[in-house]
Amino acid sequence: QVQLVESGGGLVQAGGSLRLSCAASRGTFSSYAMGWFRQAPGKEREFVTTISGSGGTTYYADSVKGRFTISRDNAKNTVYLQMNSLKPEDTAVYYCAASMRGPGRNAYEYRYWGQGTQVTVSS
């Protein structure tokens, strides 16, 4: 069973940047596609981005395309989310997740989830 721990969240002003990390333990990390999802208060969890096990394939939600970048370091069992040009509407709890099914956009495709890290963007 894969265990995921996110870090790097915090409070940032609009236009600023943050980098989230998600460290995985147990399992063969490179076998899993990794995704980032987020959930704002009163809203459903939504897809942000995903990356294949090799790192060769990535997908992004339209709302973050060009601002966020997902990457992974399989030697360190870690996936990253670089967030630039942050907007107040990016405020949410960000979750990383692992999937054996490939880099999908749907939460149900991901079996393992982290506890989440709060990102707050002030205007």
Side-chain angles (χ1 to χ4, degrees), residues 36-86:
W36 287 97
F37 291 76
R38 66 187 182 186
Q39 187 166 18
K43 295 187 177 181
E44 293 186 352
R45 190 170 299 190
E46 65 172 358
F47 167 77
V48 176
T49 180
T50 184
I51 188 168
S52 62
S54 66
T57 299
T58 58
Y59 300 113
Y60 294 90
D62 288 344
S63 59
V64 306
K65 199 171 295 183
R67 300 189 298 123
F68 290 11
T69 303
I70 190 171
S71 62
R72 65 190 297 159
D73 185 338
N74 285 345
K76 296 182 177 179
N77 287 0
T78 302
V79 62
Y80 304 98
L81 180 62
Q82 178 66 44
M83 305 186 294
N84 299 328
S85 302
L86 282 161

Short mmCIF file of all heavy atoms in Angstrom, two decimals, residues 36-86:
data_model
loop_
_atom_site.label_atom_id
_atom_site.label_comp_id
_atom_site.label_asym_id
_atom_site.label_seq_id
_atom_site.Cartn_x
_atom_site.Cartn_y
_atom_site.Cartn_z
N TRP A 36 -2.58 15.43 -9.08
CA TRP A 36 -2.91 16.46 -8.08
C TRP A 36 -4.37 16.86 -8.31
O TRP A 36 -4.78 17.12 -9.44
CB TRP A 36 -2.01 17.68 -8.22
CG TRP A 36 -0.61 17.47 -7.74
CD1 TRP A 36 0.48 17.15 -8.51
CD2 TRP A 36 -0.12 17.60 -6.40
NE1 TRP A 36 1.60 17.05 -7.72
CE2 TRP A 36 1.25 17.33 -6.42
CE3 TRP A 36 -0.72 17.92 -5.18
CZ2 TRP A 36 2.05 17.37 -5.27
CZ3 TRP A 36 0.06 17.96 -4.04
CH2 TRP A 36 1.43 17.69 -4.08
N PHE A 37 -5.09 16.90 -7.23
CA PHE A 37 -6.46 17.37 -7.22
C PHE A 37 -6.57 18.46 -6.16
O PHE A 37 -5.69 18.60 -5.30
CB PHE A 37 -7.42 16.23 -6.87
CG PHE A 37 -7.52 15.18 -7.95
CD1 PHE A 37 -6.51 14.24 -8.14
CD2 PHE A 37 -8.62 15.13 -8.79
CE1 PHE A 37 -6.59 13.28 -9.14
CE2 PHE A 37 -8.72 14.18 -9.79
CZ PHE A 37 -7.70 13.25 -9.95
N ARG A 38 -7.64 19.22 -6.23
CA ARG A 38 -7.84 20.24 -5.21
C ARG A 38 -9.31 20.36 -4.87
O ARG A 38 -10.18 20.03 -5.67
CB ARG A 38 -7.30 21.60 -5.66
CG ARG A 38 -8.02 22.22 -6.85
CD ARG A 38 -7.29 23.47 -7.32
NE ARG A 38 -7.98 24.12 -8.43
CZ ARG A 38 -7.51 25.16 -9.10
NH1 ARG A 38 -6.31 25.68 -8.78
NH2 ARG A 38 -8.20 25.69 -10.09
N GLN A 39 -9.57 20.85 -3.67
CA GLN A 39 -10.94 21.03 -3.23
C GLN A 39 -11.04 22.33 -2.45
O GLN A 39 -10.40 22.49 -1.41
CB GLN A 39 -11.40 19.86 -2.36
CG GLN A 39 -12.88 19.90 -2.01
CD GLN A 39 -13.39 18.59 -1.45
OE1 GLN A 39 -12.62 17.74 -1.01
NE2 GLN A 39 -14.70 18.42 -1.48
N ALA A 40 -11.86 23.22 -2.97
CA ALA A 40 -12.12 24.49 -2.31
C ALA A 40 -13.35 24.35 -1.41
O ALA A 40 -14.18 23.46 -1.63
CB ALA A 40 -12.36 25.58 -3.35
N PRO A 41 -13.47 25.20 -0.41
CA PRO A 41 -14.63 25.11 0.49
C PRO A 41 -15.95 25.17 -0.27
O PRO A 41 -16.15 26.05 -1.12
CB PRO A 41 -14.46 26.34 1.40
CG PRO A 41 -13.00 26.61 1.38
CD PRO A 41 -12.55 26.26 0.00
N GLY A 42 -16.82 24.22 0.02
CA GLY A 42 -18.14 24.19 -0.60
C GLY A 42 -18.15 23.70 -2.03
O GLY A 42 -19.20 23.73 -2.68
N LYS A 43 -17.00 23.24 -2.51
CA LYS A 43 -16.94 22.76 -3.90
C LYS A 43 -16.48 21.31 -3.94
O LYS A 43 -15.90 20.80 -2.99
CB LYS A 43 -15.99 23.64 -4.72
CG LYS A 43 -16.47 25.08 -4.88
CD LYS A 43 -15.58 25.84 -5.84
CE LYS A 43 -16.09 27.24 -6.07
NZ LYS A 43 -15.25 27.99 -7.04
N GLU A 44 -16.72 20.68 -5.07
CA GLU A 44 -16.28 19.31 -5.25
C GLU A 44 -14.78 19.26 -5.55
O GLU A 44 -14.21 20.24 -6.04
CB GLU A 44 -17.06 18.65 -6.38
CG GLU A 44 -18.53 18.46 -6.09
CD GLU A 44 -19.24 17.67 -7.17
OE1 GLU A 44 -18.61 17.38 -8.20
OE2 GLU A 44 -20.41 17.34 -6.97
N ARG A 45 -14.19 18.12 -5.26
CA ARG A 45 -12.79 17.93 -5.59
C ARG A 45 -12.63 17.96 -7.11
O ARG A 45 -13.41 17.35 -7.83
CB ARG A 45 -12.30 16.61 -5.02
CG ARG A 45 -10.80 16.40 -5.10
CD ARG A 45 -10.38 15.19 -4.30
NE ARG A 45 -10.72 15.33 -2.87
CZ ARG A 45 -10.30 14.50 -1.93
NH1 ARG A 45 -9.50 13.47 -2.25
NH2 ARG A 45 -10.66 14.67 -0.68
N GLU A 46 -11.61 18.67 -7.58
CA GLU A 46 -11.42 18.79 -9.01
C GLU A 46 -10.00 18.41 -9.42
O GLU A 46 -9.04 18.59 -8.66
CB GLU A 46 -11.73 20.22 -9.48
CG GLU A 46 -10.80 21.29 -8.97
CD GLU A 46 -11.04 22.64 -9.62
OE1 GLU A 46 -11.93 22.75 -10.50
OE2 GLU A 46 -10.34 23.60 -9.24
N PHE A 47 -9.90 17.94 -10.62
CA PHE A 47 -8.63 17.55 -11.22
C PHE A 47 -7.78 18.79 -11.48
O PHE A 47 -8.29 19.81 -11.95
CB PHE A 47 -8.89 16.80 -12.51
CG PHE A 47 -7.69 16.61 -13.38
CD1 PHE A 47 -6.75 15.63 -13.07
CD2 PHE A 47 -7.49 17.38 -14.51
CE1 PHE A 47 -5.64 15.44 -13.87
CE2 PHE A 47 -6.40 17.20 -15.32
CZ PHE A 47 -5.46 16.23 -15.00
N VAL A 48 -6.48 18.67 -11.19
CA VAL A 48 -5.54 19.75 -11.49
C VAL A 48 -4.56 19.30 -12.57
O VAL A 48 -4.45 19.93 -13.62
CB VAL A 48 -4.77 20.19 -10.22
CG1 VAL A 48 -3.72 21.24 -10.58
CG2 VAL A 48 -5.73 20.71 -9.17
N THR A 49 -3.86 18.20 -12.33
CA THR A 49 -2.86 17.73 -13.27
C THR A 49 -2.47 16.31 -12.93
O THR A 49 -2.72 15.83 -11.83
CB THR A 49 -1.62 18.65 -13.23
OG1 THR A 49 -0.64 18.18 -14.17
CG2 THR A 49 -0.97 18.66 -11.83
N THR A 50 -1.86 15.62 -13.90
CA THR A 50 -1.41 14.27 -13.69
C THR A 50 -0.16 14.00 -14.52
O THR A 50 0.08 14.68 -15.52
CB THR A 50 -2.52 13.26 -14.03
OG1 THR A 50 -2.09 11.93 -13.73
CG2 THR A 50 -2.90 13.33 -15.51
N ILE A 51 0.59 13.00 -14.10
CA ILE A 51 1.82 12.63 -14.79
C ILE A 51 1.95 11.11 -14.80
O ILE A 51 1.64 10.45 -13.81
CB ILE A 51 3.04 13.30 -14.12
CG1 ILE A 51 4.32 13.09 -14.94
CG2 ILE A 51 3.21 12.84 -12.68
CD1 ILE A 51 5.47 13.98 -14.48
N SER A 52 2.40 10.57 -15.91
CA SER A 52 2.57 9.13 -16.02
C SER A 52 3.75 8.65 -15.17
O SER A 52 4.55 9.46 -14.69
CB SER A 52 2.79 8.74 -17.48
OG SER A 52 3.97 9.35 -17.96
N GLY A 53 3.85 7.35 -15.02
CA GLY A 53 4.91 6.78 -14.19
C GLY A 53 6.31 7.14 -14.64
O GLY A 53 7.20 7.36 -13.83
N SER A 54 6.48 7.21 -15.94
CA SER A 54 7.80 7.56 -16.50
C SER A 54 8.04 9.06 -16.52
O SER A 54 9.17 9.51 -16.72
CB SER A 54 7.91 7.02 -17.92
OG SER A 54 6.99 7.70 -18.76
N GLY A 55 6.97 9.81 -16.37
CA GLY A 55 7.06 11.26 -16.47
C GLY A 55 6.90 11.78 -17.87
O GLY A 55 6.94 12.99 -18.10
N GLY A 56 6.69 10.90 -18.82
CA GLY A 56 6.64 11.32 -20.22
C GLY A 56 5.32 11.89 -20.67
O GLY A 56 5.25 12.52 -21.73
N THR A 57 4.28 11.67 -19.91
CA THR A 57 2.95 12.17 -20.28
C THR A 57 2.38 12.99 -19.13
O THR A 57 2.40 12.55 -17.98
CB THR A 57 2.00 11.01 -20.59
OG1 THR A 57 2.51 10.25 -21.68
CG2 THR A 57 0.60 11.52 -20.94
N THR A 58 1.88 14.16 -19.46
CA THR A 58 1.23 15.01 -18.47
C THR A 58 -0.05 15.59 -19.05
O THR A 58 -0.17 15.81 -20.26
CB THR A 58 2.14 16.18 -18.04
OG1 THR A 58 2.51 16.96 -19.18
CG2 THR A 58 3.41 15.68 -17.36
N TYR A 59 -1.00 15.84 -18.18
CA TYR A 59 -2.24 16.51 -18.54
C TYR A 59 -2.54 17.57 -17.49
O TYR A 59 -2.24 17.38 -16.31
CB TYR A 59 -3.41 15.53 -18.62
CG TYR A 59 -3.24 14.42 -19.63
CD1 TYR A 59 -3.10 13.10 -19.24
CD2 TYR A 59 -3.21 14.70 -21.00
CE1 TYR A 59 -2.95 12.08 -20.16
CE2 TYR A 59 -3.04 13.69 -21.93
CZ TYR A 59 -2.91 12.38 -21.50
OH TYR A 59 -2.75 11.39 -22.43
N TYR A 60 -3.19 18.63 -17.95
CA TYR A 60 -3.51 19.73 -17.05
C TYR A 60 -4.97 20.15 -17.23
O TYR A 60 -5.51 20.10 -18.34
CB TYR A 60 -2.63 20.95 -17.32
CG TYR A 60 -1.17 20.73 -17.02
CD1 TYR A 60 -0.30 20.26 -17.99
CD2 TYR A 60 -0.66 21.02 -15.76
CE1 TYR A 60 1.04 20.05 -17.72
CE2 TYR A 60 0.69 20.82 -15.47
CZ TYR A 60 1.53 20.34 -16.45
OH TYR A 60 2.86 20.15 -16.16
N ALA A 61 -5.57 20.60 -16.15
CA ALA A 61 -6.86 21.27 -16.27
C ALA A 61 -6.65 22.60 -16.99
O ALA A 61 -5.60 23.24 -16.84
CB ALA A 61 -7.45 21.51 -14.88
N ASP A 62 -7.65 23.01 -17.74
CA ASP A 62 -7.53 24.27 -18.48
C ASP A 62 -7.27 25.45 -17.55
O ASP A 62 -6.58 26.40 -17.92
CB ASP A 62 -8.81 24.52 -19.28
CG ASP A 62 -8.94 23.58 -20.47
OD1 ASP A 62 -7.93 22.96 -20.85
OD2 ASP A 62 -10.06 23.47 -21.00
N SER A 63 -7.80 25.38 -16.35
CA SER A 63 -7.70 26.50 -15.42
C SER A 63 -6.27 26.73 -14.93
O SER A 63 -5.97 27.82 -14.42
CB SER A 63 -8.62 26.28 -14.23
OG SER A 63 -8.29 25.06 -13.56
N VAL A 64 -5.40 25.73 -15.06
CA VAL A 64 -4.03 25.87 -14.55
C VAL A 64 -2.99 25.77 -15.66
O VAL A 64 -1.79 25.99 -15.40
CB VAL A 64 -3.73 24.84 -13.46
CG1 VAL A 64 -4.77 24.91 -12.35
CG2 VAL A 64 -3.63 23.43 -14.02
N LYS A 65 -3.42 25.45 -16.85
CA LYS A 65 -2.48 25.25 -17.95
C LYS A 65 -1.67 26.53 -18.19
O LYS A 65 -2.21 27.62 -18.24
CB LYS A 65 -3.25 24.87 -19.21
CG LYS A 65 -2.42 24.20 -20.28
CD LYS A 65 -3.33 23.67 -21.40
CE LYS A 65 -4.25 22.58 -20.91
NZ LYS A 65 -5.08 22.02 -22.00
N GLY A 66 -0.36 26.36 -18.30
CA GLY A 66 0.52 27.50 -18.50
C GLY A 66 1.00 28.14 -17.23
O GLY A 66 1.92 28.96 -17.23
N ARG A 67 0.38 27.79 -16.10
CA ARG A 67 0.78 28.35 -14.80
C ARG A 67 1.37 27.30 -13.87
O ARG A 67 2.27 27.59 -13.09
CB ARG A 67 -0.42 29.00 -14.11
CG ARG A 67 -1.05 30.14 -14.90
CD ARG A 67 -2.10 30.86 -14.06
NE ARG A 67 -3.21 30.00 -13.69
CZ ARG A 67 -3.60 29.77 -12.44
NH1 ARG A 67 -2.94 30.34 -11.42
NH2 ARG A 67 -4.63 28.97 -12.19
N PHE A 68 0.85 26.08 -13.95
CA PHE A 68 1.29 25.00 -13.07
C PHE A 68 2.10 23.99 -13.89
O PHE A 68 1.82 23.76 -15.07
CB PHE A 68 0.09 24.27 -12.47
CG PHE A 68 -0.69 25.05 -11.45
CD1 PHE A 68 -0.50 26.40 -11.24
CD2 PHE A 68 -1.65 24.40 -10.67
CE1 PHE A 68 -1.23 27.11 -10.31
CE2 PHE A 68 -2.39 25.08 -9.73
CZ PHE A 68 -2.18 26.45 -9.55
N THR A 69 3.06 23.37 -13.21
CA THR A 69 3.87 22.33 -13.84
C THR A 69 4.04 21.16 -12.89
O THR A 69 4.45 21.34 -11.74
CB THR A 69 5.26 22.86 -14.22
OG1 THR A 69 5.13 23.99 -15.09
CG2 THR A 69 6.07 21.77 -14.93
N ILE A 70 3.70 19.98 -13.37
CA ILE A 70 3.89 18.77 -12.59
C ILE A 70 5.18 18.10 -13.05
O ILE A 70 5.53 18.11 -14.23
CB ILE A 70 2.69 17.81 -12.72
CG1 ILE A 70 2.80 16.66 -11.72
CG2 ILE A 70 2.52 17.31 -14.15
CD1 ILE A 70 1.54 15.79 -11.64
N SER A 71 5.89 17.52 -12.09
CA SER A 71 7.11 16.77 -12.40
C SER A 71 7.29 15.70 -11.35
O SER A 71 6.61 15.71 -10.31
CB SER A 71 8.33 17.70 -12.45
OG SER A 71 8.55 18.31 -11.19
N ARG A 72 8.18 14.78 -11.62
CA ARG A 72 8.42 13.73 -10.65
C ARG A 72 9.89 13.33 -10.68
O ARG A 72 10.56 13.45 -11.70
CB ARG A 72 7.53 12.52 -10.91
CG ARG A 72 7.78 11.80 -12.20
CD ARG A 72 6.67 10.76 -12.48
NE ARG A 72 6.66 9.72 -11.45
CZ ARG A 72 5.59 8.95 -11.20
NH1 ARG A 72 4.47 9.12 -11.90
NH2 ARG A 72 5.66 8.01 -10.27
N ASP A 73 10.35 12.84 -9.53
CA ASP A 73 11.69 12.31 -9.40
C ASP A 73 11.53 10.90 -8.84
O ASP A 73 11.32 10.71 -7.63
CB ASP A 73 12.52 13.18 -8.45
CG ASP A 73 13.97 12.74 -8.37
OD1 ASP A 73 14.26 11.57 -8.69
OD2 ASP A 73 14.80 13.55 -7.98
N ASN A 74 11.61 9.92 -9.72
CA ASN A 74 11.36 8.54 -9.29
C ASN A 74 12.46 8.02 -8.35
O ASN A 74 12.22 7.11 -7.57
CB ASN A 74 11.21 7.64 -10.50
CG ASN A 74 9.87 7.83 -11.18
OD1 ASN A 74 8.94 8.42 -10.61
ND2 ASN A 74 9.76 7.37 -12.42
N ALA A 75 13.64 8.58 -8.44
CA ALA A 75 14.70 8.18 -7.52
C ALA A 75 14.41 8.63 -6.09
O ALA A 75 14.88 8.02 -5.13
CB ALA A 75 16.04 8.75 -7.99
N LYS A 76 13.64 9.71 -5.97
CA LYS A 76 13.29 10.24 -4.65
C LYS A 76 11.86 9.92 -4.25
O LYS A 76 11.39 10.37 -3.20
CB LYS A 76 13.50 11.77 -4.62
CG LYS A 76 14.94 12.20 -4.81
CD LYS A 76 15.08 13.71 -4.71
CE LYS A 76 16.54 14.12 -4.83
NZ LYS A 76 16.70 15.60 -4.76
N ASN A 77 11.16 9.16 -5.10
CA ASN A 77 9.76 8.80 -4.82
C ASN A 77 8.91 10.04 -4.52
O ASN A 77 8.09 10.04 -3.59
CB ASN A 77 9.68 7.83 -3.64
CG ASN A 77 10.16 6.44 -3.99
OD1 ASN A 77 10.57 6.18 -5.13
ND2 ASN A 77 10.15 5.55 -3.02
N THR A 78 9.11 11.06 -5.31
CA THR A 78 8.44 12.34 -5.04
C THR A 78 7.88 12.93 -6.32
O THR A 78 8.52 12.87 -7.38
CB THR A 78 9.41 13.33 -4.38
OG1 THR A 78 9.93 12.76 -3.17
CG2 THR A 78 8.72 14.64 -4.05
N VAL A 79 6.70 13.49 -6.20
CA VAL A 79 6.09 14.25 -7.29
C VAL A 79 5.94 15.69 -6.82
O VAL A 79 5.71 15.95 -5.63
CB VAL A 79 4.74 13.65 -7.72
CG1 VAL A 79 3.72 13.68 -6.58
CG2 VAL A 79 4.19 14.34 -8.96
N TYR A 80 6.09 16.61 -7.75
CA TYR A 80 6.06 18.03 -7.44
C TYR A 80 4.98 18.75 -8.23
O TYR A 80 4.61 18.34 -9.32
CB TYR A 80 7.42 18.68 -7.77
CG TYR A 80 8.58 18.02 -7.11
CD1 TYR A 80 9.35 17.08 -7.79
CD2 TYR A 80 8.94 18.33 -5.80
CE1 TYR A 80 10.44 16.46 -7.19
CE2 TYR A 80 10.03 17.72 -5.19
CZ TYR A 80 10.76 16.79 -5.89
OH TYR A 80 11.84 16.18 -5.28
N LEU A 81 4.51 19.84 -7.65
CA LEU A 81 3.60 20.72 -8.37
C LEU A 81 4.11 22.14 -8.20
O LEU A 81 4.02 22.71 -7.11
CB LEU A 81 2.17 20.61 -7.83
CG LEU A 81 1.15 21.50 -8.55
CD1 LEU A 81 1.03 21.13 -10.02
CD2 LEU A 81 -0.21 21.41 -7.87
N GLN A 82 4.69 22.68 -9.27
CA GLN A 82 5.14 24.06 -9.27
C GLN A 82 3.98 24.94 -9.70
O GLN A 82 3.43 24.76 -10.79
CB GLN A 82 6.32 24.24 -10.22
CG GLN A 82 6.83 25.67 -10.31
CD GLN A 82 7.44 26.16 -9.01
OE1 GLN A 82 8.20 25.45 -8.37
NE2 GLN A 82 7.12 27.39 -8.62
N MET A 83 3.60 25.87 -8.85
CA MET A 83 2.46 26.73 -9.11
C MET A 83 2.94 28.18 -9.21
O MET A 83 3.45 28.72 -8.22
CB MET A 83 1.42 26.59 -7.99
CG MET A 83 0.97 25.16 -7.78
SD MET A 83 -0.37 25.01 -6.57
CE MET A 83 0.48 25.53 -5.09
N ASN A 84 2.78 28.76 -10.36
CA ASN A 84 3.17 30.15 -10.61
C ASN A 84 1.94 30.99 -10.93
O ASN A 84 0.88 30.46 -11.25
CB ASN A 84 4.16 30.22 -11.76
CG ASN A 84 5.44 29.46 -11.50
OD1 ASN A 84 5.91 29.36 -10.36
ND2 ASN A 84 6.03 28.92 -12.55
N SER A 85 2.10 32.29 -10.84
CA SER A 85 1.01 33.22 -11.16
C SER A 85 -0.27 32.83 -10.44
O SER A 85 -1.35 32.77 -11.04
CB SER A 85 0.79 33.27 -12.68
OG SER A 85 1.96 33.64 -13.35
N LEU A 86 -0.14 32.58 -9.18
CA LEU A 86 -1.29 32.10 -8.41
C LEU A 86 -2.38 33.15 -8.32
O LEU A 86 -2.12 34.36 -8.26
CB LEU A 86 -0.85 31.67 -7.02
CG LEU A 86 -0.16 30.30 -6.97
CD1 LEU A 86 0.66 30.14 -5.71
CD2 LEU A 86 -1.19 29.19 -7.09
#
